[in-house]
Amino acid sequence: MQDTIQKSNTSGKSTYVNNLFSKIAKKYDLLNNLMTFGRHLKWKEDGIKLALKEVKDCNKALDLCTGTGDLSIILNKLSPKTEIIASDYCDEMLQILEKKIINHDLKNINVKKIDSESIDFPKSTFNLVTIGFGLRNLVNKEKCIESIYSVLKKDGVFMCIDLGHPVNPIWRKIFFTYFYNLVPKMGELFARDKDAYTYLPESLKTWYTQEELKEILLKKGFTKCFYKNIFGGVVAIHIAKK
Ligand SMILES: C[S@@+](CC[C@H](N)C(=O)[O-])C[C@H]1O[C@@H](n2cnc3c(N)ncnc32)[C@H](O)[C@@H]1O
């Protein structure tokens, strides 16, 4: 565990995170289903539905840190006309998404290798930008938020779904017992990678609280921001409007 913490604190964090996701890519969906008792897709659907309520015409969307593409696929199902760019910097994760696109003959999802820390699109390109369980892993989160703001059109919407900090102290204790003890064991058992599933709970320790993320989004220029806690704040959905 010590090794994991040190690696995640160095300037090589980005490479470390990329390697970590390369190694677990094939087991990523399985572990998500196991760790969340199959709930994560419903939470992601809630995030997309909340975002779509706020977007006027969702013609173009960018899904950052898409991984195996859950958010892009849900958005595609709920808004088939939206042209989606599903991006990540990890080839192994993107290959899995590409297979899903072919197997299910999905239209309007374009896979692109992009580092979320250096987003390079013209200003005012997208109606919607989403990021699921990704912002927490970035080295320069604020720079990424600034880029998101820039590439959104006026009235465009940013949706971030990620781990949260549970509000109720008793629930927090129960959840942390599970998260810090059982999750690494599940990673070891099912993905043969305890390291990756030790990094996951560790990354929560330096992650913004729900209120902090809201404040940062407003400070970066978003005119409206609210969040919804899920499962007592284990997960939070932030919606911010440009
Ligand atoms: C926990 S997964 C989330 C995947 C997916 N969005 C979901 O909700 O299941 C985090 C993803 O972020 C990607 N990632 C981390 N840092 C990144 C960066 N700097 N640029 C692009 N992708 C990054 C990883 O490769 C991984 O696929």
Side-chain angles (χ1 to χ4, degrees):
M1 168 142 66
Q2 195 55 37
D3 194 29
T4 310
I5 299 164
Q6 278 169 10
K7 277 181 226 158
S8 61
N9 281 343
T10 64
S11 57
K13 179 179 173 181
S14 184
T15 313
Y16 171 71
V17 171
N18 195 335
N19 289 338
L20 183 151
F21 283 105
S22 305
K23 281 199 283 171
I24 61 164
K26 286 196 176 123
K27 296 285 167 132
Y28 179 76
D29 287 346
L30 171 71
L31 259 292
N32 270 355
N33 287 330
L34 291 171
M35 280 187 313
T36 66
F37 310 101
R39 299 303 294 159
H40 70 106
L41 288 174
K42 169 76 175 67
W43 300 339
K44 289 167 183 168
E45 188 173 309
D46 286 351
I48 294 291
K49 281 183 175 166
L50 272 183
L52 285 176
K53 263 192 203 166
E54 299 290 327
V55 190
K56 270 194 199 129
D57 291 310
C58 196
N59 297 317
K60 280 189 91 130
L62 172 66
D63 182 25
L64 295 167
C65 298
T66 189
T68 56
D70 286 346
L71 285 177
S72 292
I73 294 169
I74 292 166
L75 175 60
N76 180 253
K77 192 179 80 185
L78 296 177
S79 179
K81 73 170 175 43
T82 305
E83 219 180 280
I84 303 165
I85 295 178
S87 72
D88 202 285
Y89 72 171
C90 175
D91 292 317
E92 288 77 1
M93 297 291 265
L94 290 178
Q95 281 158 14
I96 291 170
L97 171 56
E98 275 163 344
K99 273 191 202 149
K100 290 183 188 176
I101 291 173
I102 294 168
N103 291 345
H104 300 281
D105 194 22
L106 302 175
K107 307 279 185 257
N108 277 348
I109 303 180
N110 303 293
V111 175
K112 202 164 172 5
K113 186 168 176 170
I114 294 174
D115 185 338
S116 301
E117 311 230 18
S118 34
I119 302 165
D120 189 21
F121 288 99
K123 283 183 178 176
S124 309
T125 301
F126 299 100
N127 308 94
L128 172 64
V129 177
T130 58
I131 188 165
F133 303 91
L135 191 59
R136 177 176 30 89
N137 295 304
L138 303 186
V139 179
N140 198 336
K141 300 167 185 54
E142 293 207 21
K143 184 179 164 214
C144 176
I145 293 171
E146 284 160 15
S147 304
I148 290 169
Y149 183 85
S150 162
V151 301
L152 275 172
K153 290 176 192 276
K154 189 178 173 300
D155 291 325
V157 168
F158 171 48
M159 190 284 286
C160 172
I161 178 166
D162 213 310
L163 295 174
H165 296 264
V167 192
N168 180 294
I170 296 168
W171 174 228
R172 189 164 54 227
K173 205 162 180 186
I174 295 169
F175 170 67
F176 282 177
T177 304
Y178 164 74
F179 204 44
Y180 288 97
N181 296 296
L182 283 179
V183 164
K185 289 199 173 74
M186 288 166 98
E188 188 176 21
L189 191 64
F190 296 104
R192 300 264 169 259
D193 197 328
K194 190 177 178 186
D195 200 27
Y197 288 89
T198 301
Y199 164 80
L200 171 65
E202 285 301 314
S203 67
L204 181 61
K205 289 183 180 167
T206 52
W207 174 231
Y208 306 130
T209 64
Q210 288 86 316
E211 276 297 316
E212 281 167 351
L213 180 56
K214 179 180 167 182
E215 285 311 308
I216 289 168
L217 290 166
L218 290 171
K219 203 178 79 193
K220 295 293 174 194
F222 287 95
T223 52
K224 169 181 165 185
C225 179
F226 63 91
Y227 64 86
K228 181 182 171 189
N229 281 331
I230 295 178
F231 209 44
V234 165
V235 167
I237 298 167
H238 281 76
I239 302 284
K241 195 155 187 170
K242 183 164 174 178

